[in-house]
Amino acid sequence: NESNCSNDSFSASERNRILVATATSGTCSLLFCTLAVVILIALRLYKHLVYRLAMYQMIGAWLQGLSVCLMFMAYGYRSSSLYYRVSCKFIAFFLQYCIWVKLIFTNWLTFHLFCYIVFFKNFKRLEWLYITSSFVVPLLFNWIPFIHNNYGTSGSGPFCFIRTSREVGCETVKYVEGIVEVYVLFYGSAAIFLTLDIMAIVMMFAVLLRRVYKKSNTKATNKVIKQLLPLSVYPIIYFVLYLTPFIHSVYSTFSGTANQNLLLAQSVLYNLDGVFVTLALMLHIGTFKCKKRPTRTNAPPTPQSCDKTYATFAGVTSYTSGAVTTFSLLRESVVDDGF
């Protein structure tokens, strides 16, 4: 139930500053993710599974940025209006859905890399499962807060999310049911999945380093380490950015009040996920870019600056003839020869 009591944790100026920071970071994610997808399509990197998995994450970040911008637009109406109360519930549902889409795609990316590097298993045929589960699974549980009318303005800030507090008269009290749902449906579950992702990445690099020290295909293994570095950065980015909302949620749950500085950091950093992912993609593509080397005009085109294993893991190999560099996509399974 809504109340006319003035017991907000933030002043109007503080609330507006947080919302503007949130909308700005969300808009930046929208623009950067759009740029990243255009680059992937222009370079035809979408033909390779690893880049497609990265593209799916960007689509999730793009949708998340869109939901943040919609939340800012809805707040332009009075928070006590019927339009805001209704729209905030569906925006909260959409935000929760987008977060889980990206989280599941991140888990599948880690799973694919882990199996590919540690066990030499290529699960490219499971891409349909990656896509279907990422978009369908969140729908199986994200509707639960609707049952108890828990979607709305979050108690930890001026956001549309799962409500963790309610107004009783002129007093704001913790809402235990909402707190349980927000940790079960987001913070707790995300913490478990992202921790498993980080553990898998650590194990991947441990296996690769072990192969290096054993001098087993040392040159090829060193190349693969360079290739994995930009790939594994995607779940690492998500894990680091996730820490800000998690820390603030724990703080607000135990203290009973939201911290303005933590909330501002959450508003900016977590919603810049699309920006950081795009920058990681640029680093990823740049890692596999082959330098041009001049060749004789009468000499046949030969690979000049890229090792076979180094190029084929990205699905790209370079052949230089004169001053022109062309790229051709190879089968992902070719990289198995490098181990």
Side-chain angles (χ1 to χ4, degrees), residues 119-316:
F119 300 109
F120 308 108
K121 298 293 184 179
N122 186 354
F123 289 108
K124 185 175 182 179
R125 294 181 179 179
L126 294 181
E127 183 179 4
W128 67 270
L129 177 62
Y130 298 169
I131 298 174
T132 304
S133 61
S134 297
F135 286 106
V136 174
V137 169
L139 296 175
L140 300 179
F141 53 83
N142 279 343
W143 55 268
I144 294 177
F146 279 121
I147 297 178
H148 303 100
N149 195 28
N150 286 342
Y151 276 131
T153 304
S154 173
S156 60
F159 303 122
C160 296
F161 203 56
I162 300 175
R163 295 191 293 182
T164 56
S165 64
R166 285 187 175 182
E167 293 182 1
V168 179
C170 288
E171 181 182 0
T172 301
V173 297
K174 293 182 180 179
Y175 184 48
V176 177
E177 194 175 72
I179 294 175
V180 171
E181 287 184 354
V182 79
Y183 279 99
V184 171
L185 297 180
F186 176 53
Y187 291 115
S189 302
I192 294 174
F193 284 119
L194 290 175
T195 300
L196 292 176
D197 288 341
I198 298 301
M199 292 173 61
I201 291 173
V202 172
M203 291 176 64
M204 282 192 298
F205 279 96
V207 170
L208 289 173
L209 290 175
R210 182 183 179 186
R211 292 172 185 164
V212 170
Y213 287 124
K214 281 190 171 183
K215 297 182 179 180
S216 175
N217 296 325
T218 304
K219 182 178 179 180
T221 304
N222 287 334
K223 293 293 185 182
V224 173
I225 290 177
K226 294 179 182 179
Q227 296 152 12
L228 278 179
L229 183 60
L231 293 175
S232 59
V233 78
Y234 297 112
I236 294 176
I237 289 175
Y238 199 30
F239 177 79
V240 172
L241 296 180
Y242 162 80
L243 290 177
T244 51
F246 179 76
I247 292 174
H248 178 254
S249 177
V250 173
Y251 173 86
S252 61
T253 298
F254 285 95
S255 66
T257 58
N259 182 278
Q260 182 180 352
N261 294 328
L262 287 175
L263 188 58
L264 189 61
Q266 168 187 336
S267 304
V268 175
L269 294 178
Y270 185 71
N271 293 307
L272 282 178
D273 175 63
V275 175
F276 290 111
V277 168
T278 301
L279 295 178
L281 176 67
M282 297 300 102
L283 174 64
H284 189 173
I285 295 175
T287 300
F288 299 110
K289 183 179 180 181
C290 302
K291 295 181 180 180
K292 298 177 183 179
R293 290 184 181 180
T295 58
R296 297 179 181 179
T297 55
N298 59 348
T302 57
Q304 294 295 327
S305 60
C306 287
D307 181 88
K308 178 182 178 182
T309 305
Y310 181 73
T312 55
F313 190 89
V316 180

